[in-house]
Amino acid sequence: MAQIYDSIAEQFKKFYSLPFALHVETYTHLNLIGDVTGKSILDLACGEGIYTRLLKQNGAARLVGVDISSEMIKLARQEEEKEPLEIEYIIADVTEIGFIDSFDLVVASFLLNYASTKDELLKMCHTISANLKPGGQFISLNNNLDLPPEFYHKGEKYGLAKSCPGSLQEGTPLTLTLTIADDGEKVSFDNYYLSKATYEWALRSVGFKDIRWHNPIVSPEGVQKFSQEFWQDAIDYPYILGITCQK
Ligand SMILES: C[S@@+](CC[C@H](N)C(=O)[O-])C[C@H]1O[C@@H](n2cnc3c(N)ncnc32)[C@H](O)[C@@H]1O
């Protein structure tokens, strides 16, 4: 896993300029997170730190970012050097890191879909729970595992392609290919299918309650710029889902 992101770290940054990333993904994520003023936040699978920085800039008191890829963390630290926000970055595997501190909020966008087994998912959930204060919230975005493969092509007009070998079974690899530039440049990586029931089992097993799944939403600016019709497939065949729950 680390090696995949080490080799695409620089390229992956381009994804965040895509209309889908700006008007659906980031907008949905920040809406779910809400007001962060004064909060301590752990960002697991922070990548090069795009959300980590945004949350600190939006008023969070403390931010710690963790990622398994040393190249992703190198990019995050470079940004921290350019514009210091007092964010701490740690290179580590979420399944192994254990307790760092007690945070008000743990975010982990697109972490859980890297678990290929129930056991791996449970370990990730253990780390999330171990780092939350009682009553703290976990908020995440995830590949929408419920989307039937016959609708995968609906993401293509947003630069999001997905494929799987045959039917979806627990642990089936899903290959995601993102078109990240107008010249057709692409990056590919694998996620894994585990059912929603398995996710809910893992979250409940480590003490989470009030587990909710959220459909993505489109920013008003995105609708104005590209039209409601353009985004309708992103709403009707969600490529991503939000997850929220409470310790
Ligand atoms: C698609 S990127 C998401 C980055 C950022 N959270 C975002 O939403 O833009 C997925 C990140 O998960 C990291 N990752 C995957 N498995 C991990 C693990 N077991 N421990 C820590 N990071 C992991 C990868 O290195 C990569 O940076």
Side-chain angles (χ1 to χ4, degrees), residues 1 5 12 16 25 43-47 50-51 66-69 72 92-95 109-111 114 124 189:
M1 168 51 53
Y5 274 91
F12 197 80
Y16 299 108
E25 186 177 307
D43 186 358
L44 296 174
C46 65
I50 186 152
Y51 293 126
V66 174
D67 201 281
I68 198 171
S69 159
M72 285 296 215
D93 184 336
V94 170
T95 62
S109 56
F110 304 106
L111 166 69
Y114 287 98
M124 289 179 178
F189 47 88

Side-chain angles (χ1 to χ4, degrees), residues 66-100:
V66 174
D67 201 281
I68 198 171
S69 159
S70 56
E71 284 303 312
M72 285 296 215
I73 293 292
K74 189 168 129 193
L75 293 175
R77 287 180 177 149
Q78 280 169 2
E79 291 298 323
E80 179 66 21
E81 257 176 49
K82 269 194 253 165
E83 193 187 331
L85 292 167
E86 293 178 21
I87 298 173
E88 183 190 344
Y89 290 105
I90 301 169
I91 301 168
D93 184 336
V94 170
T95 62
E96 291 170 1
I97 190 167
F99 179 72
I100 302 166

